[in-house]
Amino acid sequence: MGHGGNVIDELVADHREVEEFFGRIEALPSGDKDRKVHADQATIELVRHSVAEEAYLYPAVREHLANGNTLADREIEDHSKAEQLMKDLESCDAGDPEFDRIVGELMTEVRAHIADEEENLFPQLRAVCPPERLDELGEKIRMAKKVAPTRPHPSTPSEPPANKLLAPGLGLVDRMRDALTGRGKES
């Protein structure tokens, strides 16, 4: 968490980290308990990443791109789908027959979202947003990820200002639960 660089560099590094967790899941046989560990780690990173994007990236997209509202709305909708899948995955053990289906759907959804951001959204933003603004957003994203929730909360607001107000409290509760249960730690 917290890779450095401007907002685009930071988010692309997050994408690679999530893909690494997905690769670990895919490398293990169905039912292996470590698949759940890696799915939890991916979920933690995806939730932090999504909360930070919704708080800072998408408002910048709305501000700087001519079609920003449409793009931001579509990205938030992608997040909603992924968040519901992560919520469904939370109650599954690696041996649960639904685990493979849900984690497969999540990987497909997230990979499509990543490709869209990296191939379309990020180049458009880089073309019109001043470099110092991209740097400033990178710092805001890093700060947001430090206090963001680590578990999916599909019913919480995904747009400012409510998301910025609720995220730190939810994040604190989530991190306490994770510490008590050992969630997200490799076995």
Side-chain angles (χ1 to χ4, degrees):
M1 178 174 60
H3 308 285
N6 70 37
V7 66
I8 295 169
D9 296 338
E10 180 73 22
L11 296 174
V12 167
D14 286 355
H15 292 167
R16 297 303 164 269
E17 192 172 1
V18 167
E19 184 56 47
E20 187 177 312
F21 289 128
F22 287 169
R24 290 177 189 173
I25 293 167
E26 291 171 324
L28 294 169
S30 183
D32 187 303
K33 67 175 180 49
D34 284 341
R35 286 170 59 94
K36 176 68 170 177
V37 171
H38 298 311
D40 285 345
Q41 291 169 324
T43 295
I44 289 167
E45 293 311 313
L46 283 167
V47 170
R48 286 177 179 158
H49 176 91
S50 295
V51 166
E53 281 187 335
E54 290 169 6
Y56 296 103
L57 177 69
Y58 300 146
V61 167
R62 291 179 195 284
E63 176 186 345
H64 292 282
L65 297 180
N67 58 343
N69 286 332
T70 301
L71 289 170
D73 290 345
R74 187 179 70 223
E75 300 298 330
I76 290 170
E77 178 61 30
D78 287 352
H79 283 191
S80 294
K81 291 176 197 169
E83 192 167 16
Q84 188 56 59
L85 289 166
M86 288 184 282
K87 188 68 178 169
D88 295 344
L89 195 58
E90 222 176 15
S91 61
C92 290
D93 290 324
D96 187 318
E98 281 293 286
F99 181 87
D100 287 345
R101 181 190 65 75
I102 296 169
V103 81
E105 249 184 89
L106 176 64
M107 289 190 286
T108 298
E109 182 71 34
V110 169
R111 285 172 170 153
H113 177 77
I114 286 171
D116 182 53
E117 280 188 341
E118 291 184 9
E119 294 167 14
N120 300 308
L121 184 69
F122 292 169
Q124 288 181 54
L125 190 62
R126 190 183 302 272
V128 299
C129 197
E132 56 277 359
R133 177 73 169 130
L134 294 175
D135 290 342
E136 175 189 317
L137 287 168
E139 186 57 34
K140 287 182 177 185
I141 291 280
R142 282 186 288 284
M143 297 302 291
K145 288 191 302 185
K146 288 179 182 178
V147 297
T150 61
R151 295 170 182 263
H153 298 278
S155 60
T156 58
S158 57
E159 293 188 30
N163 64 347
K164 290 181 183 180
L165 295 172
L166 293 173
L170 289 171
L172 178 63
V173 171
D174 286 353
R175 284 188 300 283
M176 287 173 50
R177 283 178 63 196
D178 293 345
L180 290 171
T181 63
R183 177 178 174 266
K185 306 287 184 232
E186 295 207 39
S187 51

